[in-house]
Amino acid sequence: MSSSVQRALRILVELSSGPLTISELGRRLDVHRTTSLRLLRTLEEERFVRRSEDGRYRIGPLMAALAHEALEGLDLRAAAHEHLRALGASSGHTVHLAALDGDSIVYLDKVESRQSIRMYSYVGARAPLHATGVGKAILAHIDPQERGSLLGAPPYPGHTPNTRTDPGELAEDLARVVDRGWALDDFEHEEFIHCVAAPVRGATGRVEAAISVSAPEVTLDREDLLGLVDDLRATANAISNELGWSRT
């Protein structure tokens, strides 16, 4: 790659964090003012940057349009699939990708367990928000008013004796999800299956989906399930990065 192209790309990266003057860009790129000006004029002609009345440069309309098109073209399932497969291979258990659809979650992808006991879930299946790990990982990051609209009037439907049907108990659980960065389905949807789940963020930082590792208690006890949390969260972060999110 030519030095001019590299410098032009670096200008765009620097401007992505906010407007800058020619002098500021020159210092950051460690190039002479005339070099910065020459590159900026070319980028301005092509509408990749624009100059404000105060003399500072910022990202231009064409760059913004390209970024929007790139984000619109991202396929959540495609971005996540190889990461899900890797997590399934390392854990040996069922891995799900799910997203909000109406007032429930829908499974977008699934990696089967290597164990002889398989889960009956399938891509396209729906499940409740308040009683699943992936549902709670998403629900915890939704505005409380919208959350109430999605859940409906309490008490919430019970699926097992462990389902949190009381709004106060559920709110406490969701607060823990936000604090620690992951959710636990403690046999709340199915009596013999538990899971851990983590949120997946899009480019704006908004939670767009969640992933989980699930297993019957007979094949994975509580301690070993919780031992998968670090790998689970690392996978969720990797998928989020694929979607344009960056922890800053």
Side-chain angles (χ1 to χ4, degrees):
M1 185 184 297
S2 73
S3 60
S4 294
V5 173
Q6 287 179 318
R7 286 169 179 164
L9 292 174
R10 285 183 61 196
I11 285 174
L12 295 174
V13 170
E14 293 294 339
L15 292 180
S16 67
S17 61
L20 295 168
T21 65
I22 293 177
S23 297
E24 289 169 335
L25 279 168
R27 286 194 296 271
R28 293 192 182 193
L29 273 62
D30 193 26
V31 297
H32 195 273
R33 176 189 172 89
T34 56
T35 302
S36 298
L37 182 59
R38 175 174 54 81
L39 292 170
L40 283 165
R41 283 176 174 169
T42 300
L43 291 170
E44 187 176 15
E45 288 174 4
E46 299 298 328
R47 299 192 302 131
F48 284 103
V49 305
R50 64 185 177 88
R51 186 173 181 272
S52 303
E53 291 183 359
D54 61 6
R56 296 189 298 172
Y57 286 84
R58 65 185 68 235
I59 292 294
L62 181 57
M63 193 65 206
L66 289 174
H68 175 75
E69 289 298 320
L71 292 174
E72 286 291 312
L74 285 175
D75 183 319
L76 173 60
R77 189 172 184 271
H81 186 68
E82 290 304 317
H83 296 288
L84 301 181
R85 286 184 59 188
L87 181 60
S90 64
S91 71
H93 296 284
T94 302
V95 176
H96 288 115
L97 170 71
L100 180 67
D101 186 32
D103 60 359
S104 60
I105 61 104
V106 61
Y107 292 112
L108 303 179
D109 203 354
K110 177 184 180 181
V111 176
E112 291 284 3
S113 167
R114 294 200 303 265
Q115 310 298 319
S116 58
I117 301 176
R118 298 289 182 90
M119 295 180 60
Y120 72 84
S121 60
Y122 57 90
V123 174
R126 304 175 74 85
L129 278 166
H130 70 290
T132 57
V134 284
K136 291 193 292 182
I138 295 170
L139 196 60
H141 297 88
I142 292 176
D143 177 84
Q145 185 172 352
E146 182 184 356
R147 185 190 299 170
S149 177
L150 291 170
L151 291 171
Y156 310 129
H159 298 271
T160 75
N162 284 7
T163 306
R164 288 173 171 79
T165 60
D166 177 77
E169 289 183 359
L170 180 60
E172 290 178 3
D173 191 17
L174 297 179
R176 287 192 292 270
V177 172
V178 174
D179 287 343
R180 67 192 179 194
W182 56 275
L184 172 68
D185 172 355
D186 192 19
F187 310 106
E188 297 162 49
H189 187 217
E190 299 176 73
E191 288 197 40
F192 305 106
I193 294 176
H194 52 176
C195 88
V196 284
V200 172
R201 298 179 183 274
T204 64
R206 182 176 181 271
V207 172
E208 303 287 352
I211 63 170
S212 66
V213 179
S214 307
E217 186 179 21
V218 295
T219 65
L220 187 69
D221 64 23
R222 174 73 166 269
E223 182 179 356
D224 288 338
L225 176 71
L226 297 182
L228 299 174
V229 166
D230 287 346
D231 286 345
L232 170 78
R233 295 188 67 193
T235 301
N237 287 339
I239 297 170
S240 300
N241 290 340
E242 293 269 9
L243 297 174
W245 177 74
S246 177
R247 186 191 297 272
T248 55

